[in-house]
Amino acid sequence: MVLPFSSPRLLLTLVAACAVMGLGQAALFTFQPLLMAATGLSLARINGAFALGSALFLVGTPLWALVGDRIGRKPVLMVALAGFLVSHVFLLGLVLACRAGRLSGDAVGVGLLLSRVVYGLTVSGLVTATQGWLVAGWPADKRLLGLSRLAAGLTFGRLVGPLLAAATLLVSPLGPLWLVALAALPVLAALGGLAEARTMPTVATVRPWPVWRGLAPYWLVAFVSQCTLGLVQYVTASWLVARLHWNPEAAAARLGGMMGLAGAGALAVQLLLLPRLARAERQAVRAAWGLVPALALMPLTGSGWSAWLGLASLAAVLALVVPTYTHRAVEVTGAGNPGRVSAALATAHTVGYTVSAALGGWLFDRHPDAPLWLAVLGALLLAGTLGSVIRPSREAAMP
């Protein structure tokens, strides 16, 4: 069935695709201690595999953006969701074989790398396809609201992911992996029932250099925001084990609850607060500054409540910040090349996640608090950079 770009059903499908990606991220974060226990792999080695998959987004994201602009976004989404499914089913099979004594931990480590290669080369097209589809078809005055819905989809996935992962632990220690392995099937079925419009919106041709030059400050903001997020997410589960002396199962279950509550707050920001917020850009800068002390309390106190506060603050602030700078980037550079703008910001997010994955495990092996202090520094840089980007933009818009 061919649907218009602004169709609620089509928007719901795009949001669901983003939710699958968010669910996969959050569920695997809660699964890290269990994966370490099941395979004997170190956190640095596991995060190194995640970093490899994220690094491949640097290749896949711009290529899928170009492919989507030429052949349509639906094929790109189908490939991304299929890659998500295959990579996690493969990882599940590896862990099952290891637990049965058929594979060594080193063999699982090699297989983990391969699964993340598949993930990086395919799922890298998901965000740029959904954002490019929405930006190309939605009116300018509704674009921020539409982008906030896609961001809400990611947040919803991160919200239900930890909760469902914690619930599946009651059934099986590998429940979170089963959950992630099967999550993409319903969205693939829903997307397969839709037919993309044959006539895509006309996309104006803009020379690459002016677009990338205009995006440079927003690229930096996007990089810093996701690097800060990744530093906290990649190490919190292991940090709870090291600092609070919880066993891996308890850490996974309680982290699921923490991330679920944090995700609920972020979802409320995106769905209820952001559409009604006056001077959203100024409020985003203020919220970024408030993130600094919230994250600093984690290494300072080493307590469970500080971990919840840090995760909740991080989720709520980024729920406000990410749609704000994405919308501003589209406005500043012009909406003539939505695929290119989305690809640039998605690439920045990927680089941030890649750097945080590589640094997080390495720093954690030296001291559990080290990645968190780097996240505090990242929050400081985020607030300062965001303020410097938004202030000139606001002044330039004044008559």
Side-chain angles (χ1 to χ4, degrees), residues 25-124:
Q25 292 174 345
L28 285 182
F29 288 142
T30 62
F31 184 72
Q32 279 179 334
L34 301 176
L35 186 60
M36 294 168 62
T39 64
L41 298 174
S42 66
L43 180 63
R45 190 168 180 181
I46 293 173
N47 282 356
F50 288 165
L52 174 62
S54 297
L56 291 174
F57 273 58
L58 300 177
V59 177
T61 297
L63 290 179
W64 286 122
L66 294 175
V67 171
D69 286 341
R70 284 164 172 75
I71 69 172
R73 276 81 183 194
K74 179 183 175 180
V76 176
L77 280 178
M78 296 288 286
V79 170
L81 291 170
F84 184 97
L85 174 66
V86 169
S87 63
H88 289 105
V89 168
F90 182 57
L91 177 59
L92 173 62
L94 289 172
V95 176
L96 289 173
C98 182
R99 287 170 60 89
R102 298 175 182 175
L103 286 177
S104 64
D106 289 336
V108 173
V110 174
L112 176 60
L113 287 174
L114 293 176
S115 73
R116 301 315 289 181
V117 167
V118 174
Y119 178 91
L121 291 178
T122 56
V123 184
S124 53

Side-chain angles (χ1 to χ4, degrees), residues 376-397:
V376 173
L377 181 61
L380 279 169
L381 184 58
L382 171 63
T385 307
L386 186 65
S388 66
V389 166
I390 287 179
R391 187 177 298 110
S393 299
R394 186 170 60 247
E395 291 173 353

Side-chain angles (χ1 to χ4, degrees), residues 156-236:
F156 181 75
R158 291 165 182 159
L159 163 64
V160 301
L163 295 177
L164 292 177
T168 59
L169 286 172
L170 300 176
V171 180
S172 169
L174 300 182
L177 264 183
W178 281 102
L179 170 69
V180 175
L182 302 176
L185 281 176
V187 186
L188 269 172
L191 191 62
L194 303 178
E196 191 172 358
R198 293 182 180 180
T199 303
M200 301 289 288
T202 302
V203 178
T205 301
V206 179
R207 288 180 300 171
W209 171 245
V211 172
W212 287 97
R213 181 176 58 187
L215 278 177
Y218 300 95
W219 199 97
L220 179 60
V221 172
F223 165 80
V224 174
S225 68
Q226 298 306 301
C227 187
T228 304
L229 173 65
L231 282 168
V232 177
Q233 285 188 331
Y234 275 121
V235 303
T236 297

